Amino acid sequence: MAATDVELPGDVDDETYLRTLRERLPPVFAAFRPEMVFYLAGSDPAADDRIGNWKVSAAGMLERDLFVMSCASSGTRKLPVVIVLAGGYGRNAWRYNARFFSSLLNWGKTIEPPDFEESTLLRYRRVAREIASHELTGDAPAGDWGLTADDIAPVMSGVRRTHRLLGFYSRQGLELAMERAGVLDRLRNRGFEPTAEMEVGNPAGDTVRVYGDRLRKELLIEARLRIDRHEIPGAALLRIEWLLLQNPRESFTPARPPLPGQRHPGLGMLSDIIALLVLACDRLQLDGLLFVPSHFHTATQGRNLRFADPADAALYAALAEATRGLSLAEASRAVAEGRVIDERTGRPFEWKPMPLVLPVTDRLREKVTGEEYERRMAEDAAGYAFALTP
């Protein structure tokens, strides 16, 4: 038996990694002449790995995988290769293997896998197809006697008929949607006993709360929602007036400091809650989600979010450029503490309301991603310049 180990320093980039691989791997094949290859296709060298400190890009990772396969295919015969998934830490680790496998199965054509938010939404939509509308609303299914949960309630005792969240979801339907999506199970796995409640009929919006205990003292999730038909002409949107996701049982750490406005660390379930709200848009035939971020960091929470006004998009791009190199927490604190200076006025920049949308329909997507939007954003970009002070 023999082994070939190659030691590389930290912060290895594409050029160093691939050059070393091209120099050192072919001689191993030539000297050992294997009958079969076991390839541990780890994704921990990737730049976004949560534990590793190497800086290999997605393109570099794919080039590595394909080069290994080419070494096994050179010469007079193709060697059998057993591909085994190895290291890789973080929610995007699987995407490197997905690119590799898609290339193998599509004759060299790589299919870009969906990002975490998109894959979460795809999974939730599959679950939603298995839930009939009457299960969410409490209406009678077609073919029965026409009785609803309200009809069966003890109306003779004067109990008020239940209103529906957003005019659609009954309380039981809301719990069913969260249960089927796995949200409540994820909370249970963390030791919580989730209890949901909702308040409807307030002009400011309907409210959903999920507590972590039966006494309803540990608030985990709180959302105030309403349907907005005015922010973007011709579009009906699900407006998030307020969204709180927190874990009151956890504490902040030096590695995970509080962001502006936070009392407790987050739940780590934003993508799941957004996916549920997108499903509500599907059910209610709404064009998308709308919310106004209260801080700089809350405007960074999704790749598919777009500012409703292209001028706001240009302003935010200038802020992001001024704070480039800072962590999200550091950048958000810099904005909140007035350390980002507007070079036009010489005064600290103050965060202002800038509506963001997550398009669900093609109609809204065209409004906030089309050529006219991009043209206006480019025109406005020249009007913003920010500098960061210590």
Side-chain angles (χ1 to χ4, degrees):
M1 295 181 63
T4 299
D5 295 326
V6 180
E7 184 174 342
L8 294 175
D11 296 326
V12 171
D13 59 11
D14 285 17
E15 196 276 332
T16 301
Y17 189 44
L18 295 173
R19 183 188 68 246
T20 304
L21 188 67
R22 294 189 190 99
E23 291 174 352
R24 304 298 293 269
L25 186 58
V28 173
F29 273 85
F32 190 70
R33 300 177 62 83
E35 296 292 325
M36 176 181 287
V37 176
F38 284 82
Y39 173 37
L40 274 65
S43 59
D44 38 353
D48 63 350
D49 191 80
R50 293 181 60 183
I51 296 179
N53 64 349
W54 286 13
K55 307 299 180 185
V56 181
S57 69
M61 294 290 292
L62 179 60
E63 188 172 344
R64 175 205 68 175
D65 294 333
L66 297 180
F67 180 73
V68 171
M69 298 302 295
S70 71
C71 289
S73 301
S74 61
T76 58
R77 63 190 180 92
K78 293 184 179 181
L79 299 174
V81 179
V82 179
I83 301 171
V84 181
L85 304 186
Y89 309 93
R91 65 185 186 182
N92 288 317
W94 66 274
R95 304 182 78 232
Y96 300 101
N97 299 122
R99 292 188 188 96
F100 177 29
F101 296 151
S102 70
S103 180
L104 295 179
L105 296 172
N106 288 278
W107 304 96
K109 181 180 179 181
T110 303
I111 298 175
E112 182 65 20
D115 61 22
F116 182 77
E117 289 77 14
E118 291 171 334
S119 61
T120 300
L121 180 56
L122 288 171
R123 174 167 55 87
Y124 275 44
R125 277 181 164 150
R126 285 195 297 269
V127 172
R129 287 195 291 268
E130 300 174 359
I131 306 176
S133 291
H134 73 266
E135 295 181 272
L136 301 174
T137 64
D139 287 339
D144 72 359
W145 289 355
L147 295 177
T148 68
D150 287 338
D151 296 322
I152 299 173
V155 294
M156 295 301 292
S157 62
V159 175
R160 185 170 177 266
R161 291 173 64 88
T162 303
H163 290 290
R164 296 174 182 172
L165 180 75
L166 301 171
F168 184 83
Y169 293 90
S170 68
R171 186 180 64 80
Q172 294 85 356
L174 175 66
E175 291 180 347
L176 175 65
M178 291 191 292
E179 194 72 74
R180 293 280 184 89
V183 169
L184 300 185
D185 265 346
R186 288 185 61 184
L187 295 176
R188 293 186 188 105
N189 290 338
R190 300 184 186 189
F192 294 111
E193 298 179 82
T195 302
E197 69 176 23
M198 66 184 200
E199 296 177 3
V200 300
N202 189 323
D206 296 343
T207 301
V208 176
R209 297 185 185 92
V210 177
Y211 295 91
D213 62 318
R214 294 180 181 179
L215 298 178
R216 303 187 180 188
K217 293 183 177 180
E218 294 181 315
L219 181 62
L220 306 180
I221 301 171
E222 184 176 54
R224 180 170 297 133
L225 312 166
R226 66 181 177 89
I227 296 176
D228 186 303
R229 302 183 188 276
H230 304 288
E231 185 69 44
I232 298 181
L237 304 167
L238 178 54
R239 187 179 188 112
I240 307 171
E241 295 285 4
W242 167 257
L243 179 60
L244 173 70
L245 304 173
Q246 63 180 13
N247 188 339
R249 298 184 184 178
E250 289 193 358
S251 301
F252 294 109
T253 66
R256 192 182 180 187
L259 295 167
Q262 277 191 315
R263 294 181 57 192
H264 302 285
L267 272 177
M269 297 179 64
L270 179 61
S271 295
D272 300 88
I273 301 305
I274 293 299
L276 282 174
L277 295 177
V278 170
L279 295 184
C281 291
D282 292 342
R283 296 280 186 183
L284 302 176
Q285 297 183 338
L286 302 176
D287 292 293
L289 301 177
L290 165 70
F291 79 102
V292 181
S294 57
H295 297 88
F296 176 82
H297 63 269
T298 54
T300 67
Q301 299 304 306
R303 185 173 64 87
N304 296 318
L305 289 172
R306 301 286 289 184
F307 285 95
D309 187 335
D312 291 340
L315 185 153
Y316 181 82
L319 285 174
E321 177 62 26
T323 56
R324 189 159 52 114
L326 300 181
S327 68
L328 180 59
E330 292 169 338
S332 192
R333 284 197 295 271
V335 173
E337 294 169 0
R339 292 190 287 113
V340 177
I341 305 300
D342 188 334
E343 293 187 340
R344 298 170 302 174
T345 65
R347 301 178 62 183
F349 170 77
E350 295 185 7
W351 186 259
K352 67 173 189 175
M354 297 188 291
L356 274 166
V357 296
L358 176 63
V360 173
T361 63
D362 291 338
R363 177 175 59 179
L364 180 59
R365 194 171 292 109
E366 176 60 26
K367 282 180 178 289
V368 295
T369 61
E371 292 182 2
E372 177 61 18
Y373 182 97
E374 296 293 340
R375 182 188 65 78
R376 291 176 55 195
M377 179 180 169
E379 290 177 353
D380 289 320
Y384 297 110
F386 299 100
L388 182 66
T389 62

mmCIF file of all heavy atoms in Angstrom, residues 273-305:
data_model
loop_
_atom_site.group_PDB
_atom_site.id
_atom_site.type_symbol
_atom_site.label_atom_id
_atom_site.label_comp_id
_atom_site.label_asym_id
_atom_site.label_seq_id
_atom_site.Cartn_x
_atom_site.Cartn_y
_atom_site.Cartn_z
ATOM 1 N N ILE A 273 -40.577 30.257 6.804
ATOM 2 C CA ILE A 273 -41.718 31.145 6.986
ATOM 3 C C ILE A 273 -42.027 31.893 5.694
ATOM 4 O O ILE A 273 -43.196 32.045 5.308
ATOM 5 C CB ILE A 273 -41.451 32.129 8.136
ATOM 6 C CG1 ILE A 273 -41.190 31.361 9.441
ATOM 7 C CG2 ILE A 273 -42.613 33.094 8.306
ATOM 8 C CD1 ILE A 273 -42.283 30.391 9.824
ATOM 9 N N ILE A 274 -40.988 32.339 4.993
ATOM 10 C CA ILE A 274 -41.220 33.013 3.713
ATOM 11 C C ILE A 274 -41.873 32.057 2.726
ATOM 12 O O ILE A 274 -42.779 32.439 1.968
ATOM 13 C CB ILE A 274 -39.896 33.560 3.147
ATOM 14 C CG1 ILE A 274 -39.365 34.686 4.039
ATOM 15 C CG2 ILE A 274 -40.084 34.059 1.721
ATOM 16 C CD1 ILE A 274 -40.286 35.885 4.157
ATOM 17 N N ALA A 275 -41.448 30.793 2.722
ATOM 18 C CA ALA A 275 -42.061 29.814 1.821
ATOM 19 C C ALA A 275 -43.539 29.639 2.135
ATOM 20 O O ALA A 275 -44.380 29.559 1.228
ATOM 21 C CB ALA A 275 -41.332 28.473 1.927
ATOM 22 N N LEU A 276 -43.905 29.597 3.418
ATOM 23 C CA LEU A 276 -45.316 29.494 3.786
ATOM 24 C C LEU A 276 -46.109 30.708 3.310
ATOM 25 O O LEU A 276 -47.255 30.583 2.857
ATOM 26 C CB LEU A 276 -45.452 29.357 5.303
ATOM 27 C CG LEU A 276 -45.160 27.980 5.901
ATOM 28 C CD1 LEU A 276 -45.205 28.047 7.420
ATOM 29 C CD2 LEU A 276 -46.152 26.947 5.383
ATOM 30 N N LEU A 277 -45.500 31.886 3.395
ATOM 31 C CA LEU A 277 -46.187 33.096 2.944
ATOM 32 C C LEU A 277 -46.333 33.122 1.423
ATOM 33 O O LEU A 277 -47.331 33.621 0.896
ATOM 34 C CB LEU A 277 -45.430 34.333 3.439
ATOM 35 C CG LEU A 277 -45.401 34.510 4.965
ATOM 36 C CD1 LEU A 277 -44.555 35.720 5.339
ATOM 37 C CD2 LEU A 277 -46.814 34.642 5.526
ATOM 38 N N VAL A 278 -45.345 32.580 0.722
ATOM 39 C CA VAL A 278 -45.472 32.473 -0.741
ATOM 40 C C VAL A 278 -46.613 31.528 -1.092
ATOM 41 O O VAL A 278 -47.375 31.775 -2.043
ATOM 42 C CB VAL A 278 -44.144 32.006 -1.368
ATOM 43 C CG1 VAL A 278 -44.337 31.650 -2.845
ATOM 44 C CG2 VAL A 278 -43.091 33.097 -1.239
ATOM 45 N N LEU A 279 -46.750 30.436 -0.334
ATOM 46 C CA LEU A 279 -47.875 29.525 -0.567
ATOM 47 C C LEU A 279 -49.204 30.238 -0.344
ATOM 48 O O LEU A 279 -50.187 29.968 -1.045
ATOM 49 C CB LEU A 279 -47.774 28.311 0.347
ATOM 50 C CG LEU A 279 -46.585 27.375 0.140
ATOM 51 C CD1 LEU A 279 -46.705 26.168 1.060
ATOM 52 C CD2 LEU A 279 -46.483 26.926 -1.306
ATOM 53 N N ALA A 280 -49.249 31.142 0.640
ATOM 54 C CA ALA A 280 -50.463 31.929 0.850
ATOM 55 C C ALA A 280 -50.748 32.803 -0.374
ATOM 56 O O ALA A 280 -51.910 32.955 -0.785
ATOM 57 C CB ALA A 280 -50.317 32.794 2.099
ATOM 58 N N CYS A 281 -49.702 33.354 -0.982
ATOM 59 C CA CYS A 281 -49.886 34.121 -2.223
ATOM 60 C C CYS A 281 -50.453 33.225 -3.321
ATOM 61 O O CYS A 281 -51.334 33.644 -4.081
ATOM 62 C CB CYS A 281 -48.558 34.730 -2.682
ATOM 63 S SG CYS A 281 -47.928 36.047 -1.631
ATOM 64 N N ASP A 282 -49.948 32.000 -3.410
ATOM 65 C CA ASP A 282 -50.478 31.061 -4.405
ATOM 66 C C ASP A 282 -51.963 30.822 -4.167
ATOM 67 O O ASP A 282 -52.768 30.851 -5.104
ATOM 68 C CB ASP A 282 -49.730 29.728 -4.325
ATOM 69 C CG ASP A 282 -48.280 29.824 -4.766
ATOM 70 O OD1 ASP A 282 -47.923 30.800 -5.452
ATOM 71 O OD2 ASP A 282 -47.490 28.915 -4.424
ATOM 72 N N ARG A 283 -52.337 30.552 -2.923
ATOM 73 C CA ARG A 283 -53.729 30.245 -2.587
ATOM 74 C C ARG A 283 -54.650 31.434 -2.853
ATOM 75 O O ARG A 283 -55.779 31.270 -3.338
ATOM 76 C CB ARG A 283 -53.841 29.851 -1.114
ATOM 77 C CG ARG A 283 -53.116 28.577 -0.722
ATOM 78 C CD ARG A 283 -53.910 27.345 -1.089
ATOM 79 N NE ARG A 283 -53.261 26.125 -0.587
ATOM 80 C CZ ARG A 283 -53.732 24.906 -0.821
ATOM 81 N NH1 ARG A 283 -54.822 24.727 -1.528
ATOM 82 N NH2 ARG A 283 -53.088 23.851 -0.333
ATOM 83 N N LEU A 284 -54.169 32.637 -2.531
ATOM 84 C CA LEU A 284 -55.010 33.838 -2.618
ATOM 85 C C LEU A 284 -54.860 34.568 -3.945
ATOM 86 O O LEU A 284 -55.442 35.632 -4.131
ATOM 87 C CB LEU A 284 -54.665 34.785 -1.464
ATOM 88 C CG LEU A 284 -54.828 34.189 -0.059
ATOM 89 C CD1 LEU A 284 -54.357 35.177 0.997
ATOM 90 C CD2 LEU A 284 -56.265 33.786 0.191
ATOM 91 N N GLN A 285 -54.048 34.006 -4.844
ATOM 92 C CA GLN A 285 -53.809 34.584 -6.164
ATOM 93 C C GLN A 285 -53.261 36.013 -6.055
ATOM 94 O O GLN A 285 -53.721 36.941 -6.719
ATOM 95 C CB GLN A 285 -55.087 34.559 -7.008
ATOM 96 C CG GLN A 285 -55.594 33.158 -7.282
ATOM 97 C CD GLN A 285 -56.817 33.110 -8.171
ATOM 98 O OE1 GLN A 285 -57.557 34.088 -8.286
ATOM 99 N NE2 GLN A 285 -57.037 31.980 -8.809
ATOM 100 N N LEU A 286 -52.249 36.159 -5.195
ATOM 101 C CA LEU A 286 -51.567 37.432 -5.016
ATOM 102 C C LEU A 286 -50.265 37.428 -5.809
ATOM 103 O O LEU A 286 -49.698 36.382 -6.103
ATOM 104 C CB LEU A 286 -51.276 37.676 -3.533
ATOM 105 C CG LEU A 286 -52.510 37.688 -2.612
ATOM 106 C CD1 LEU A 286 -52.075 37.834 -1.165
ATOM 107 C CD2 LEU A 286 -53.469 38.805 -3.007
ATOM 108 N N ASP A 287 -49.783 38.620 -6.128
ATOM 109 C CA ASP A 287 -48.619 38.742 -6.997
ATOM 110 C C ASP A 287 -47.294 38.534 -6.277
ATOM 111 O O ASP A 287 -46.279 38.262 -6.924
ATOM 112 C CB ASP A 287 -48.614 40.114 -7.674
ATOM 113 C CG ASP A 287 -49.744 40.257 -8.677
ATOM 114 O OD1 ASP A 287 -49.721 39.555 -9.692
ATOM 115 O OD2 ASP A 287 -50.658 41.076 -8.430
ATOM 116 N N GLY A 288 -47.277 38.692 -4.963
ATOM 117 C CA GLY A 288 -46.023 38.522 -4.257
ATOM 118 C C GLY A 288 -46.090 39.053 -2.848
ATOM 119 O O GLY A 288 -47.141 39.475 -2.363
ATOM 120 N N LEU A 289 -44.922 39.020 -2.183
ATOM 121 C CA LEU A 289 -44.799 39.525 -0.823
ATOM 122 C C LEU A 289 -44.259 40.945 -0.845
ATOM 123 O O LEU A 289 -43.487 41.321 -1.728
ATOM 124 C CB LEU A 289 -43.844 38.647 -0.012
ATOM 125 C CG LEU A 289 -44.192 37.170 0.138
ATOM 126 C CD1 LEU A 289 -43.089 36.460 0.913
ATOM 127 C CD2 LEU A 289 -45.524 36.997 0.833
ATOM 128 N N LEU A 290 -44.635 41.712 0.158
ATOM 129 C CA LEU A 290 -44.170 43.093 0.300
ATOM 130 C C LEU A 290 -43.822 43.332 1.764
ATOM 131 O O LEU A 290 -44.586 42.965 2.656
ATOM 132 C CB LEU A 290 -45.265 44.072 -0.136
ATOM 133 C CG LEU A 290 -45.099 45.543 0.265
ATOM 134 C CD1 LEU A 290 -43.952 46.188 -0.509
ATOM 135 C CD2 LEU A 290 -46.393 46.307 0.038
ATOM 136 N N PHE A 291 -42.654 43.904 2.015
ATOM 137 C CA PHE A 291 -42.352 44.355 3.378
ATOM 138 C C PHE A 291 -41.376 45.520 3.308
ATOM 139 O O PHE A 291 -40.691 45.730 2.293
ATOM 140 C CB PHE A 291 -41.805 43.222 4.237
ATOM 141 C CG PHE A 291 -40.357 42.888 4.011
ATOM 142 C CD1 PHE A 291 -39.381 43.326 4.890
ATOM 143 C CD2 PHE A 291 -39.969 42.102 2.931
ATOM 144 C CE1 PHE A 291 -38.051 43.004 4.690
ATOM 145 C CE2 PHE A 291 -38.645 41.765 2.724
ATOM 146 C CZ PHE A 291 -37.679 42.228 3.618
ATOM 147 N N VAL A 292 -41.347 46.290 4.379
ATOM 148 C CA VAL A 292 -40.464 47.454 4.470
ATOM 149 C C VAL A 292 -39.416 47.150 5.535
ATOM 150 O O VAL A 292 -39.745 47.130 6.729
ATOM 151 C CB VAL A 292 -41.247 48.734 4.821
ATOM 152 C CG1 VAL A 292 -40.299 49.929 4.890
ATOM 153 C CG2 VAL A 292 -42.349 48.987 3.789
ATOM 154 N N PRO A 293 -38.173 46.889 5.165
ATOM 155 C CA PRO A 293 -37.153 46.503 6.157
ATOM 156 C C PRO A 293 -36.847 47.644 7.116
ATOM 157 O O PRO A 293 -36.676 48.795 6.704
ATOM 158 C CB PRO A 293 -35.934 46.154 5.290
ATOM 159 C CG PRO A 293 -36.156 46.864 3.996
ATOM 160 C CD PRO A 293 -37.632 46.913 3.789
ATOM 161 N N SER A 294 -36.780 47.305 8.400
ATOM 162 C CA SER A 294 -36.534 48.315 9.426
ATOM 163 C C SER A 294 -35.054 48.603 9.620
ATOM 164 O O SER A 294 -34.703 49.632 10.215
ATOM 165 C CB SER A 294 -37.139 47.859 10.758
ATOM 166 O OG SER A 294 -36.609 46.598 11.141
ATOM 167 N N HIS A 295 -34.175 47.708 9.150
ATOM 168 C CA HIS A 295 -32.736 47.886 9.298
ATOM 169 C C HIS A 295 -32.030 47.419 8.027
ATOM 170 O O HIS A 295 -32.610 46.695 7.199
ATOM 171 C CB HIS A 295 -32.192 47.084 10.493
ATOM 172 C CG HIS A 295 -32.740 47.514 11.807
ATOM 173 N ND1 HIS A 295 -33.905 46.997 12.335
ATOM 174 C CD2 HIS A 295 -32.291 48.416 12.718
ATOM 175 C CE1 HIS A 295 -34.143 47.549 13.503
ATOM 176 N NE2 HIS A 295 -33.188 48.415 13.762
ATOM 177 N N PHE A 296 -30.780 47.800 7.911
ATOM 178 C CA PHE A 296 -29.984 47.417 6.752
ATOM 179 C C PHE A 296 -29.943 45.901 6.590
ATOM 180 O O PHE A 296 -30.122 45.377 5.483
ATOM 181 C CB PHE A 296 -28.565 47.981 6.910
ATOM 182 C CG PHE A 296 -27.611 47.576 5.823
ATOM 183 C CD1 PHE A 296 -27.588 48.249 4.608
ATOM 184 C CD2 PHE A 296 -26.725 46.519 6.009
ATOM 185 C CE1 PHE A 296 -26.698 47.874 3.609
ATOM 186 C CE2 PHE A 296 -25.846 46.142 5.014
ATOM 187 C CZ PHE A 296 -25.830 46.821 3.810
ATOM 188 N N HIS A 297 -29.732 45.172 7.692
ATOM 189 C CA HIS A 297 -29.551 43.722 7.568
ATOM 190 C C HIS A 297 -30.826 43.009 7.143
ATOM 191 O O HIS A 297 -30.761 41.952 6.528
ATOM 192 C CB HIS A 297 -29.023 43.121 8.873
ATOM 193 C CG HIS A 297 -29.946 43.267 10.031
ATOM 194 N ND1 HIS A 297 -29.899 44.337 10.885
ATOM 195 C CD2 HIS A 297 -30.949 42.466 10.495
ATOM 196 C CE1 HIS A 297 -30.811 44.204 11.820
ATOM 197 N NE2 HIS A 297 -31.470 43.079 11.606
ATOM 198 N N THR A 298 -32.001 43.576 7.458
ATOM 199 C CA THR A 298 -33.240 42.902 7.060
ATOM 200 C C THR A 298 -33.529 43.071 5.574
ATOM 201 O O THR A 298 -34.430 42.418 5.052
ATOM 202 C CB THR A 298 -34.431 43.428 7.882
ATOM 203 O OG1 THR A 298 -34.497 44.845 7.778
ATOM 204 C CG2 THR A 298 -34.300 43.038 9.337
ATOM 205 N N ALA A 299 -32.764 43.918 4.908
ATOM 206 C CA ALA A 299 -32.928 44.073 3.460
ATOM 207 C C ALA A 299 -32.062 43.092 2.676
ATOM 208 O O ALA A 299 -32.080 43.093 1.446
ATOM 209 C CB ALA A 299 -32.590 45.508 3.032
ATOM 210 N N THR A 300 -31.310 42.240 3.383
ATOM 211 C CA THR A 300 -30.377 41.331 2.712
ATOM 212 C C THR A 300 -30.846 39.887 2.778
ATOM 213 O O THR A 300 -30.076 38.982 2.447
ATOM 214 C CB THR A 300 -28.993 41.403 3.387
ATOM 215 O OG1 THR A 300 -29.087 40.857 4.719
ATOM 216 C CG2 THR A 300 -28.495 42.833 3.473
ATOM 217 N N GLN A 301 -32.111 39.654 3.167
ATOM 218 C CA GLN A 301 -32.529 38.322 3.579
ATOM 219 C C GLN A 301 -33.005 37.394 2.468
ATOM 220 O O GLN A 301 -33.547 36.341 2.752
ATOM 221 C CB GLN A 301 -33.620 38.425 4.649
ATOM 222 C CG GLN A 301 -33.161 39.127 5.903
ATOM 223 C CD GLN A 301 -31.938 38.467 6.517
ATOM 224 O OE1 GLN A 301 -31.928 37.276 6.784
ATOM 225 N NE2 GLN A 301 -30.891 39.251 6.727
ATOM 226 N N GLY A 302 -32.825 37.739 1.227
ATOM 227 C CA GLY A 302 -33.225 36.834 0.160
ATOM 228 C C GLY A 302 -32.683 37.277 -1.184
ATOM 229 O O GLY A 302 -32.724 38.462 -1.517
ATOM 230 N N ARG A 303 -32.160 36.318 -1.940
ATOM 231 C CA ARG A 303 -31.566 36.647 -3.244
ATOM 232 C C ARG A 303 -32.603 37.162 -4.227
ATOM 233 O O ARG A 303 -32.286 37.944 -5.122
ATOM 234 C CB ARG A 303 -30.880 35.401 -3.808
ATOM 235 C CG ARG A 303 -30.118 35.622 -5.091
ATOM 236 C CD ARG A 303 -29.343 34.370 -5.470
ATOM 237 N NE ARG A 303 -30.221 33.265 -5.750
ATOM 238 C CZ ARG A 303 -30.760 33.044 -6.961
ATOM 239 N NH1 ARG A 303 -30.505 33.876 -7.964
ATOM 240 N NH2 ARG A 303 -31.545 32.005 -7.159
ATOM 241 N N ASN A 304 -33.867 36.755 -4.064
ATOM 242 C CA ASN A 304 -34.902 37.125 -5.023
ATOM 243 C C ASN A 304 -35.695 38.356 -4.618
ATOM 244 O O ASN A 304 -36.645 38.730 -5.300
ATOM 245 C CB ASN A 304 -35.861 35.943 -5.214
ATOM 246 C CG ASN A 304 -35.165 34.742 -5.834
ATOM 247 O OD1 ASN A 304 -34.369 34.884 -6.762
ATOM 248 N ND2 ASN A 304 -35.432 33.549 -5.312
ATOM 249 N N LEU A 305 -35.316 38.986 -3.508
ATOM 250 C CA LEU A 305 -35.987 40.220 -3.105
ATOM 251 C C LEU A 305 -35.578 41.367 -4.019
ATOM 252 O O LEU A 305 -34.415 41.466 -4.430
ATOM 253 C CB LEU A 305 -35.636 40.564 -1.657
ATOM 254 C CG LEU A 305 -36.231 39.672 -0.570
ATOM 255 C CD1 LEU A 305 -35.629 40.036 0.784
ATOM 256 C CD2 LEU A 305 -37.744 39.823 -0.524
#
